[in-house]
Amino acid sequence: MPEPRRGPVAAILAAALSLVAAPALAQMPERPVRIVVPFAPGGTSDIVARLLAQGAGPHLPAGAVVENKTGAAGNIGTAEVARAQPDGTTLVQCTIGTCAANPALYRNPGYDLDRSFAPVILTGAVRNVMAVRPGLPARDLAGVMELAKKPDGLSFGSSGVGASNHLTPELLRGRLGLKWVHVPYRGSGPAITDLIGGRIDVFFDNLPSILPHIRSGAVRAVAAVSEQRIPELPDVPTFAEAGIPGIVIDSWFGFMAPAGTPPATIARLNAAFNKALEDPVIRRRLEEAAVVPLGGSPERMADHIRSESARWGEVIRANNISGE
């Protein structure tokens, strides 16, 4: 049924009211939104942030840019954003490490998760895979575990203390009595470089950043850290299939703003990034990178952080893991 025609005054009034209600009208400074990624370039966190910045740029006053601020397992970049002006122009990329594990790993990470930030949006999630250096003699997960039990053990890299690729092998260490040595890096990119070069033996990584190197043969995948086999790697069994149940971890990403950022500004940012996630080009590029697009409200992000913080806090305490 067609809508009744409105006169010009009514049309103008309706348009004005819709603009007042729209979160996109929230006042923000005319400068780019700076998204701080607290890890090195090249990792999945960096990939996701750059795609979202590209997609949200047209819906923000002056676009969005990504800045990598590494160090202290993500604490340095995250703490910097906690101190930033709460005007909507500075955000931080949130991960399992910085927004779930680090508050339990460090006595003082430089920020208070509950008091320092306002959730903006949950952007995406990725599956993880266990990869080994090309020259490692073990051909499957059982063989890798046997090598890791020997007195000399194996070395495993991580993108930082408290990241999922640190906590997963620590769980395995406690459960299976592994002898391996943790080698932390400032992000996935440097760890992958050393895995390819044979300077570390094992790396548990997010699929987007490690998949091209698996496909090229530069590294070998031995197990999917997921409930079911990963569609992009159908020949790689899960941990459960290899006889080690309970090793299922999806990494996730989102954006947080400094506490005190006005609710209308949070709403505007949330709307811009949701539009990016709905953009067919951005969505396709995320999916091609093996990222599951998420989105939704700031409340969804807040609920997710609460549940993940409880989960990882329990794991950290039960296994006596510390970042100090």
Side-chain angles (χ1 to χ4, degrees):
M1 181 177 176
E3 292 185 3
R5 290 188 62 185
R6 294 180 292 184
V9 174
I12 291 170
L13 179 60
L17 288 172
S18 68
L19 288 175
V20 169
L25 264 206
Q27 293 298 312
M28 290 176 61
E30 291 286 335
R31 60 177 182 268
V33 172
R34 182 172 67 109
I35 301 171
V36 174
V37 174
F39 303 104
T44 307
S45 182
D46 186 60
I47 292 169
V48 172
R50 291 182 187 279
L51 284 173
L52 268 291
Q54 177 186 335
H59 310 291
L60 295 168
V65 297
V66 171
E67 178 182 332
N68 299 90
K69 197 84 171 182
T70 67
N75 287 339
I76 289 177
T78 305
E80 178 183 298
V81 175
R83 299 188 297 269
Q85 187 72 21
D87 59 8
T89 63
T90 307
L91 305 177
V92 68
Q93 173 82 302
C94 196
T95 68
I96 285 178
T98 56
C99 289
N102 285 6
L105 282 166
Y106 296 90
R107 287 191 296 272
N108 180 20
Y111 54 91
D112 183 304
L113 193 62
D114 294 326
R115 298 180 181 179
S116 300
F117 299 104
V120 175
I121 190 169
L122 188 63
T123 55
V126 296
R127 301 176 185 89
N128 293 321
V129 65
M130 178 183 178
V132 300
R133 62 179 173 85
L136 196 72
R139 305 306 301 178
D140 57 17
L141 179 60
V144 175
M145 295 296 98
E146 284 304 312
L147 288 177
K149 291 177 183 177
K150 293 182 180 296
D152 292 338
L154 294 174
S155 59
F156 73 88
S158 78
S159 56
V161 174
S164 63
N165 48 30
H166 169 214
L167 297 179
T168 303
E170 291 291 1
L171 280 174
L172 289 168
R173 183 205 298 275
R175 186 183 297 184
L176 304 176
L178 306 183
K179 310 292 185 186
W180 52 20
V181 177
H182 177 214
V183 183
Y185 292 84
R186 291 188 175 187
S188 292
I192 291 172
T193 297
D194 275 6
L195 185 69
I196 294 170
R199 288 177 284 277
I200 56 173
D201 298 310
V202 178
F203 187 45
F204 291 73
D205 197 25
N206 304 150
L207 191 61
S209 49
I210 196 74
L211 184 59
H213 306 287
I214 295 171
R215 286 174 169 166
S216 71
V219 301
R220 288 189 289 109
V222 295
V225 194
S226 54
E227 195 166 348
Q228 298 177 337
R229 292 196 181 200
I230 297 170
E232 293 85 354
L233 298 170
D235 297 328
V236 178
T238 66
F239 270 79
E241 288 177 306
I244 307 176
I247 307 298
V248 177
I249 298 169
D250 287 337
S251 297
W252 50 268
F253 308 96
F255 296 143
M256 300 269 270
T261 302
T265 301
I266 295 290
R268 179 173 187 177
L269 291 164
N270 177 269
F273 288 114
N274 268 311
K275 286 177 182 176
L277 289 164
E278 293 164 3
D279 184 304
V281 174
I282 298 300
R283 195 173 186 87
R284 183 175 68 251
R285 290 183 63 187
L286 286 168
E287 290 171 348
E288 286 172 351
V291 176
V292 179
L294 295 176
S297 67
E299 290 74 23
R300 181 187 186 187
M301 176 69 165
D303 289 344
H304 189 75
I305 289 173
R306 276 192 290 270
S307 64
E308 284 287 274
S309 295
R311 175 194 183 194
W312 287 108
E314 183 178 345
V315 169
I316 288 163
R317 288 187 292 272
N319 290 274
N320 297 313
I321 302 170
S322 173
E324 304 294 343

